[in-house]
Structure formats: C-alpha cells, structure tokens
Amino acid sequence: MRWKSIIWNGLFVAALCLAGFLLYRIFQQYSPDEIVRSVRSIPFSTFCAALLLAAASYLCLSCFDLLAIRSLGKSLPYRKIVLASFVSLSLGHNIGFAGLSSGAFRYRYYSRWGLTAEDVAKIILFSGVTVGLGLITLGGLALIVNPDDAARLLRVDTASARASGLLALIVPAAYAALAFFVRGRLRLWRWSFQLPRFSIALAQVGVGTVNFMLVSACLHQMLTASGDVAFFRSVTAYVLANSAILATHVPGGLGVLEATVSYVVPKEASIGALIAFRCAYFFIPLALGSVLLFISEVVFRRSGSPGEEADDRAEAQSV
C-alpha cells in the first residue's frame, strides 16, 4: 500500500473516531425519551421553513458550478448543472472530504456532457474559492455585527473582534480588485492562477455569502424553537462550526457541528434542534441525492446515445 493511501485512510479513521467521541459526549447527556421529546418539540411549520431554506441553499450551490462553467467559456443547460451539483454536494457533504468526494460525482456527470478532467478540476477549485470567499465574507460581517460572541469565544475584546471582521472583509474586496485590474493570470512565486472576469468574481462573493446566510437561517429556524436567539448569533455559530468541519474533514461534520453550535449557543442548541437541522440540511438531501443518482445512472445507461453525447459535447465546448 502506498504511503499516500495509508495517510488518507489514517485521516479518515481519525475523523471517524473524532466524530464518534464528540457524538458520545453530546448524546450521553440525554435519555432516549428526552431526545424524542426534544425533536417533537420542533413545530412542523418551523421544520418546513428550514427545509425551504435548505433547498434554497442547494440551489445557490448550483450557481457555484454555473459560474465556474461560464468562467471556462463553456455552456451546459441549467437543469444538468442543478442535477450534477445537487447529487455531488448532497452526497459529498455527508461523506466528508467534500472537495474530493463531490468532485468524483461531478466528474461522473460532467464527463458525460463533454467536459474534460481538467475542466472538472477547475470547477472544483472555483467552487472551493467561492466557498472560502462566502465563509470569510459572512464571518467578517458576523464579527462586525455580533462581536460579543466572537470576543467571548476567542477571548479577545470587542474592539479586536470588530477589527478582525474588517480585516476579513479585505479578502473578498482584494479578490474582486485583482479580477478587475489584473484581468488574466496572476503569478505568485511558482504558482499561476487564472482570475475570472470581474463580474464573475463579484458574483462569487455574492453567491457564496448568500449560500452561507441561507444555511445559517436554516439553523436559526431550529434554534428559535428552543428560545429567542438573534440571527447573527446563529450566523456566528454556523461559521465557526463550518470552519471546524473544513479543518477536521469529519464526514458530514458529525459531532463537530453539534459540539460547536452547543458551545456558541448552549441554551438554544437543544438536542432536538441539532438533530432537526441535520435532517433538514444533510440527511434528507442525502436521501434525495442518492435516489437521483440511481435514477440518473439508469437513464444514462438506457437512453444514452452517441448522437446525444456528441451534441452535449459540442454544446459544452461552445463559447
């Protein structure tokens, strides 16, 4: 076995162990009856509103792929982009190592529609940059609007938290400025990056930020069932939780999300609210994505024709 495989397998096992430990620490505080009562305390209307926000987030995520394909000078019907994006991300969010796992599913779809492995790699990188821009932008806004929670968690004063928020907002501003002034490849030491057009760079910042706001709003819906919590407290909780998930690569953020949210909003983060949020944003999309993957595989094998694939390839390569 190669060292690279050993390292990846070791990281995966370590992530699973961390998830198991955190889940044990969270669930050991409750009896099965308490967990059931907590979940049932979530109003059905609240859960439905959270589901709509989760659906809006996944639609927003499809715009990541849409912008990436546009930046490549390619074209695909939006219905195909939505299918590839939703299946890839609904499964990737739960599997862990989202960039790799969702990338494998993306390649399975986009390669059928005429995109090359290099194109798919660029789509994955573009989406990763959009995720980073959105997270940094929303995190900066949260630090400015709600510095008290961040100051308490980071053990700094409120002024330092606000200053950190302002510094964070420099990153998306600098990215947009580079896209406007450089208009081509950006070279940093040994690396070279192809910057998108200014309009696409602005769209990246906007769509990335809106996506995380929608997920935070989904979480906020669940938290308000247990108490009165300000929206930007939910934003702070989710930004920190998502940052921890990206750092640990725990599959689905199991345990990491719950532990982080419970730490930021201990009173409102009931076990029922955390389970309901995971169902709305992770488990239900996972079930739908799995069904769509199975159906699309059957359809591809039964109805795929050389002529149709050629048409798709020509359409994807058009500028």
Side-chain angles (χ1 to χ4, degrees), residues 39-164:
V39 172
R40 286 181 174 176
S41 69
I42 306 292
F44 182 69
S45 59
T46 298
F47 188 75
C48 289
L51 275 179
L52 289 175
L53 290 165
S57 169
Y58 277 96
L59 280 176
C60 204
L61 287 169
S62 70
C63 293
F64 290 18
D65 286 32
L66 177 64
L67 289 172
I69 291 170
R70 292 290 184 269
S71 72
L72 291 173
K74 305 293 177 69
S75 177
L76 279 177
Y78 182 60
R79 67 181 187 279
K80 293 183 177 180
I81 295 173
V82 170
L83 174 64
S85 172
F86 179 73
V87 171
S88 302
L89 293 172
S90 62
L91 272 65
H93 282 164
N94 288 275
I95 294 172
F97 297 95
L100 295 175
S101 55
S102 65
F105 291 111
R106 277 187 172 111
Y107 180 73
R108 190 160 185 81
Y109 282 96
Y110 288 136
S111 62
R112 284 188 170 111
W113 298 328
L115 298 184
T116 65
E118 182 181 354
D119 292 333
V120 176
K122 289 179 178 178
I123 291 171
I124 295 169
L125 178 60
F126 184 97
S127 298
V129 170
T130 308
V131 166
L133 289 169
L135 195 62
I136 291 170
T137 303
L138 188 58
L141 292 173
L143 286 170
I144 294 171
V145 176
N146 180 38
D148 294 333
D149 282 327
R152 175 175 58 84
L153 294 169
L154 302 175
R155 297 184 180 181
V156 296
D157 57 84
T158 302
S160 298
R162 276 207 175 95
S164 298

Side-chain angles (χ1 to χ4, degrees), residues 223-254:
L223 295 178
T224 53
S226 302
D228 186 19
V229 56
F231 175 69
F232 267 94
R233 285 200 75 190
S234 301
V235 170
T236 301
Y238 184 73
V239 167
L240 290 174
N242 198 72
S243 300
I245 291 169
L246 291 174
T248 58
H249 290 293
V250 171
L254 277 170

Side-chain angles (χ1 to χ4, degrees), residues 1 25 58 61 163 171 206 210 266 276 282 285 307:
M1 185 180 292
R25 289 288 300 274
Y58 277 96
L61 287 169
V171 174
V210 169
F282 290 90

Side-chain angles (χ1 to χ4, degrees), residues 186-204:
L186 175 66
R187 297 188 180 277
L188 295 174
W189 297 287
R190 293 177 299 172
W191 294 280
S192 177
F193 305 93
Q194 178 66 45
L195 290 170
R197 299 192 304 274
F198 176 65
S199 58
I200 291 181
L202 282 182
Q204 279 183 274

